[in-house]
Amino acid sequence: MSIFDKFGAIASLRDDFMELGVNPFNVVIEEVLSATEAVVNGRRTILAGTNNYLGLTFDERCIAAGKAALEGQGTGTTGSRMANGTYAGHLALEEELAEFFGCPAAIVFSTGYIANLGILSTLPGPRDPILLDADSHASIYDGCRLGTGEVIRFRHNDAADLDRRLARLGERAASALIVVEGIYSMLGDQAPLQEIVAVKKKYGAYLLVDEAHSLGVLGEHGRGLVEQAGVADEVDFIVGTFSKSLGAIGGFCVSRWAELEHVRYAMRPYIFTASSSPAIIESTRVALAVLKDQGGELRARLWDNAHRLYLGLQRLGFSLGPETSPVVAVSLGRSKEAALGIWHELLARGVYVNLVMPPATPNSNCLLRCSLSAAHTPEQVDAIVEAFAALQTQVAAC
Amino acid sequence: MKQYPEILDALYEVLQPFVGEKGVVLSEDTALVGDLEIDSVKLLELMMEIEDRFDISVPINVLPDITTVKDLALKLEELLN
């Protein structure tokens, strides 16, 4: 018996993909042409599945800042934040994030995944309850798994269900940490945050909102769903990422509690990971400044594109997520083979979207997940709709 | 206070839909994954249903220790009493 035997099903699926000539879970971007276009399989392709919401990956100011840091500070820090890996830029970014959110404390992590791993594995102590929305991202589940808290799921976006589960905890509810997301990555739907906050207040629990897909996308100043819902004073922790709206890589946690600073010294995923390179930190700082200064204009373009795609696909009769969002998910059937065929056809027509299969999907159906960017032109969005329109029959039969 | 036999009977009822065409006769030794083919996602959904039925919290941390119906019934008995 080989140590690899347990990966037999994965190996078989991979072989099927290779026969098709392209693996949807290992797509190679052969050449990046812009924030919205690349060469894939030798063909010019519209990128409609990159989470590059504000289109800042090719922003000249961000690139210049990254270049200057690369030349002036080197290629990497070669150490963790707790050792030699905290440069002035890391601290400056933390201060800028704290100011942006109006919070007294902020911590920068090397990825968004590590941010959730660090916070959720450390903040809840042994047997402290963690109440998770059932559709939470894998990084949230994994962070809880690494820690010692008791993990209880509540039904997706169902504040009444959360209420019932907190009630069962009795006095322990006051130490519970509730975790929700601003925009859920698969279907693009938003958390009913005001209702969640009302339940949180009823029990005196704590609330963490992951704004990975909503930073820069929601709220008058782009601070996310917390700002849009007007509940900043009631949310205890906000986690987010630099790898979507800010066009780089990294993660953060900000809090209305200054004591977050103490947690920094206890988080193993933070302590034992090399810190972000200076180039990443400096491009992120500039991206955050762009978000502050010009975010409104970018957001308006992003939402125009989101409405254009959602309405275009809705008119064609596709089954979509419950609300218009920069994440537009086309629901297919359960057949992975059929979903793969449709995804491949879209790629052949010059449109890249994400193919998502169960168990990563919320309802056991396969999804074609599109994400829009402020950098998409209306013509590109129309081209995405046309590519889907050409596959209507296959999707209906899927 | 719920006794083990009562919990077991309730579990058989909740698990019956998973028997389907498999021809499995539910018993304490029935394996949730091996016999009833309940995958990880279905298991999480099932636990929410069980929580509501018994009006208790079952942290998902306990799932790795549960293989059979008996494991689940014993865990529920422990949590309920």
Side-chain angles (χ1 to χ4, degrees):
Chain A
M1 185 173 163
S2 158
I3 199 169
F4 298 109
D5 283 353
K6 57 183 159 300
F7 305 107
I10 293 175
S12 160
L13 196 59
R14 180 187 174 276
D15 290 346
D16 292 346
F17 293 156
M18 297 320 280
E19 254 179 52
L20 193 71
V22 61
N23 179 347
F25 305 120
N26 198 16
V27 170
V28 178
I29 305 292
E30 290 149 11
E31 188 185 350
V32 188
L33 303 172
S34 71
T36 58
E37 282 194 314
V39 175
V40 181
N41 274 0
R43 183 193 167 109
R44 197 176 182 102
T45 301
I46 298 171
L47 299 173
T50 60
N51 304 322
N52 191 0
Y53 298 120
L54 299 186
L56 292 180
T57 49
F58 277 81
D59 183 277
E60 286 177 3
R61 296 158 291 185
C62 296
I63 290 173
K67 268 186 185 173
L70 193 60
E71 286 171 2
Q73 300 179 56
T75 53
T77 66
T78 70
S80 88
R81 294 289 311 272
M82 289 279 276
N84 59 296
T86 294
Y87 288 14
H90 295 82
L91 287 186
L93 179 54
E94 287 176 347
E95 284 166 15
E96 287 154 8
L97 282 164
E99 188 194 352
F100 179 62
F101 284 98
C103 289
I107 300 176
V108 163
F109 298 81
S110 299
T111 69
Y113 180 85
I114 291 175
N116 271 332
L117 232 55
I119 293 294
L120 291 167
S121 68
T122 311
L123 204 51
R127 295 204 67 237
D128 281 348
I130 312 173
L131 279 290
L132 297 186
D133 183 286
D135 285 2
S136 289
H137 187 259
S139 60
I140 292 172
Y141 278 97
D142 291 355
C144 294
R145 209 167 154 187
L146 194 61
T148 53
E150 277 189 2
V151 185
I152 296 160
R153 298 163 80 239
F154 64 92
R155 292 190 167 83
H156 176 56
N157 274 355
D158 189 338
D161 195 59
L162 170 65
D163 192 335
R164 272 193 299 277
R165 284 162 210 283
L166 279 166
R168 287 179 192 142
L169 294 172
E171 288 179 359
R172 294 176 65 218
S175 63
L177 177 66
I178 302 162
V179 183
V180 300
E181 297 181 31
I183 289 179
Y184 285 86
S185 60
M186 288 296 110
L187 297 180
D189 49 338
Q190 299 174 21
L193 202 52
Q194 288 181 345
E195 293 169 38
I196 301 274
V197 163
V199 175
K200 174 243 175 188
K201 284 169 75 176
K202 178 177 169 186
Y203 293 94
Y206 294 87
L207 175 60
L208 181 152
V209 181
D210 184 333
E211 301 267 27
H213 290 270
S214 36
L215 171 69
V217 171
L218 298 177
E220 190 186 344
H221 301 94
R223 293 187 200 115
L225 182 63
V226 172
E227 182 188 20
Q228 181 176 281
V231 293
D233 292 343
E234 301 296 342
V235 173
D236 300 282
F237 306 95
I238 296 173
V239 170
T241 178
F242 306 147
S243 62
K244 296 179 172 64
S245 285
L246 298 180
I249 182 170
F252 68 89
C253 178
V254 297
S255 176
R256 68 191 184 95
W257 299 96
E259 291 92 330
L260 176 69
E261 181 59 24
H262 307 156
V263 184
R264 182 194 296 273
Y265 302 97
M267 292 185 289
R268 293 174 66 84
Y270 171 88
I271 296 168
F272 296 103
T273 305
S275 66
S276 300
S277 72
I280 287 169
I281 293 294
E282 296 307 325
S283 84
T284 303
R285 290 181 64 194
V286 173
L288 184 62
V290 172
L291 168 57
K292 278 192 232 175
D293 297 340
Q294 288 165 283
E297 186 189 321
L298 294 171
R299 221 163 10 263
R301 259 190 267 156
L302 170 65
W303 279 96
D304 282 349
N305 287 336
H307 287 295
R308 196 177 186 97
L309 181 62
Y310 193 90
L311 284 175
L313 295 178
Q314 195 177 47
R315 280 192 195 117
L316 290 169
F318 288 106
S319 170
L320 306 177
E323 58 189 287
T324 308
S325 158
V327 174
V328 180
V330 176
S331 186
L332 305 175
R334 297 194 173 196
S335 164
K336 291 181 178 174
E337 292 74 20
L340 181 61
I342 294 165
W343 174 85
H344 191 239
E345 272 293 314
L346 279 173
L347 193 61
R349 289 170 187 275
V351 174
Y352 169 77
V353 300
N354 307 125
L355 172 63
V356 195
M357 293 177 170
T361 56
N363 51 13
S364 301
N365 285 337
C366 296
L367 289 178
L368 291 172
R369 177 189 177 276
C370 311
S371 60
L372 277 310
S373 172
H376 281 123
T377 63
E379 291 74 25
Q380 285 177 317
V381 178
D382 291 345
I384 298 166
V385 175
E386 280 166 29
F388 271 96
L391 299 172
Q392 255 179 304
T393 316
Q394 286 105 304
V395 172
C398 182
Chain B
M1 188 149 174
K2 283 203 164 38
Q3 300 301 317
Y4 182 81
E6 193 187 343
I7 294 169
L8 202 55
D9 284 344
L11 274 184
Y12 288 154
E13 205 175 303
V14 172
L15 292 170
Q16 195 56 45
F18 293 95
V19 171
E21 306 292 310
K22 299 180 191 77
V24 174
V25 178
L26 287 173
S27 73
E28 289 176 281
D29 296 329
T30 302
L32 300 178
V33 177
D35 296 326
L36 297 179
E37 298 171 13
I38 300 176
D39 64 26
S40 55
V41 175
K42 281 186 202 155
L43 185 59
L44 288 171
E45 297 304 318
L46 176 68
M47 292 315 294
M48 290 175 106
E49 198 183 323
I50 289 171
E51 283 182 312
D52 289 341
R53 180 157 186 140
F54 291 99
D55 196 25
I56 54 166
S57 291
V58 185
I60 63 174
N61 318 51
V62 305
L63 295 183
D65 297 329
I66 292 171
T67 305
T68 63
V69 173
K70 184 179 180 182
D71 295 335
L72 182 53
L74 286 172
K75 178 52 73 178
L76 293 176
E77 185 185 31
E78 179 192 323
L79 291 168
L80 281 163
N81 301 312

